[in-house]
Amino acid sequence: MAEENARVLVIGSGPAGYTAGIYASRANLKPVIYEGNQPGGQLTQTTEVENFPGYPEGVQGPEMMDHIRQQALRFGAEIRSKVVSKVDFSKRPFRCEDENGDVVWAETVIISTGASAKYLGLADEEKYRGLGVSACATCDGFFYRKKDVAVVGGGDTACEEALYLSTLCRKVYLIVRKDYLRASDVMAKRIKERENIEVLFNCNTEGLFGEDGVEGAHIVRNLGKDNEEHFDIAIDGFFLAIGHRPNTEIFRGQIDLDEEGYIKVEGATTHTNVPGVFAAGDCADPRYRQAICAAGTGCRAALDAERFLMEHEQL
């Protein structure tokens, strides 16, 4: 078992982790970044990215994340394709252990482990990921202008996604497994009033079909009942809006999490309830979940860590 000390340990990568690495490196804090199970984060599973500043013609998700990673390396960040599996935040320096049993004793920790979209569990979701299947209407809706799409979910998030897509798309199906919307009354009223949104109540998605991408969905209504009905809808895009799961399980009991598992931060800062531990990106953001927002909090976390180190004893 190897042991080492670090002034700043970044757990996780993506726009938040790599940006934290850029800022911490430029402050000569010599950050160590553990990239985690998905180096580069969710954007490495995305095709075209058109809403990140600096890419007027758009950019492929993996390419963009490699650019940010290379920038962190340029300024001296040490990046490791490993996973932190255990942490002890009971006292500083914080003990963080990876899957190989190696230990980093960190004066400060920036958590940027992200969040994972919840999927239905259909094999076709993986088959068509990036080819019509998306978990972010704000990210990908632009590609479906004047086309027909479907949104899965019945809560406020699903309704927000459907309403947003309805301003771009020709038609939006909202696939709801219950016979009512779980969304607020105001949101449900907006859905009902939007002419190009059709709500499919009591419906579940059985699968997707298409040659080079999504062309339609197999739907079942009243599953398991006497009046069970199977039918297809023609769509170009299939959007999941059944929630996200923050990748924060290893921190449970170490720092404060909300009911859904998102890391609680103090006000407009990235401070957690443990002095010296900071959180950035989607793991602490149940609301926006955008790459540019994650990058911004990565910057703030590095600045918060730098100030913390200036105010406390350092290695």
Side-chain angles (χ1 to χ4, degrees), residues 143 145 189 246 279 290:
F143 302 114
R145 288 167 297 174
K189 183 174 182 291
Q290 298 297 305

Side-chain angles (χ1 to χ4, degrees), residues 26-231:
R26 285 173 56 84
N28 199 32
L29 297 179
K30 298 180 174 59
V32 176
I33 302 174
Y34 274 67
E35 292 182 297
N37 285 318
Q38 190 176 53
Q42 294 185 74
L43 282 179
T44 59
Q45 304 297 312
T46 303
T47 52
E48 191 82 5
V49 177
E50 290 192 326
N51 57 1
F52 198 92
Y55 294 97
E57 302 301 322
V59 62
Q60 294 292 304
E63 181 184 6
M64 188 183 86
M65 292 317 307
D66 185 60
H67 289 168
I68 304 175
R69 186 181 191 273
Q70 292 301 322
Q71 193 171 357
L73 286 170
R74 175 193 167 200
F75 291 116
E78 185 172 341
I79 300 178
R80 300 173 183 169
S81 298
K82 294 183 179 181
V83 177
V84 171
S85 55
K86 296 179 184 177
V87 297
D88 182 355
F89 294 158
S90 60
K91 61 180 180 179
R92 293 178 58 238
F94 306 115
R95 186 183 189 278
C96 303
E97 182 179 330
D98 69 22
E99 76 270 34
N100 298 324
D102 296 331
V103 174
V104 177
W105 295 93
E107 283 295 305
T108 59
V109 172
I110 296 174
I111 301 171
S112 57
T113 49
S116 301
K118 295 179 182 177
Y119 286 81
L120 297 174
L122 303 173
D124 290 336
E125 289 173 317
E126 187 62 36
K127 176 181 178 181
Y128 293 107
R129 186 172 297 188
L131 297 172
V133 171
S134 171
C136 181
T138 307
C139 308
D140 300 326
F142 191 74
F143 302 114
Y144 298 92
R145 288 167 297 174
K146 299 181 180 180
K147 295 182 179 181
D148 297 342
V149 300
V151 176
V152 179
D156 278 337
T157 298
C159 290
E160 288 174 5
E161 301 270 89
L163 288 166
Y164 172 75
L165 289 167
S166 72
T167 66
L168 300 170
C169 302
R170 182 172 53 195
K171 180 164 186 172
V172 179
Y173 293 98
L174 184 57
I175 303 172
V176 184
R177 63 187 178 89
K178 297 182 180 296
D179 60 359
Y180 62 89
L181 291 172
R182 294 184 292 104
S184 62
D185 291 342
V186 171
M187 196 64 70
K189 183 174 182 291
R190 290 174 182 168
I191 290 292
K192 185 177 180 180
E193 293 174 347
R194 194 62 56 94
E195 292 183 357
N196 63 334
I197 295 179
E198 180 179 346
V199 183
L200 302 178
F201 288 112
N202 297 309
C203 287
N204 290 275
T205 306
E206 293 184 295
L208 304 170
F209 61 88
E211 290 297 323
D212 299 319
V214 172
E215 296 177 5
H218 302 300
I219 307 296
V220 56
R221 179 182 281 125
N222 300 317
L223 179 65
K225 298 181 180 179
D226 292 340
N227 58 341
E228 182 174 296
E229 173 191 2
H230 296 260
F231 60 96

Side-chain angles (χ1 to χ4, degrees), residues 279-290:
D282 287 8
C283 64
D285 178 15
R287 184 179 180 91
Y288 298 105
R289 296 191 298 269
Q290 298 297 305

Side-chain angles (χ1 to χ4, degrees), residues 15-16 19-21 23-24 110 270 280 293-305:
T19 301
Y23 274 79
I110 296 174
T270 63
C293 299
T297 57
C299 161
R300 289 160 51 202
L303 295 176
D304 285 341

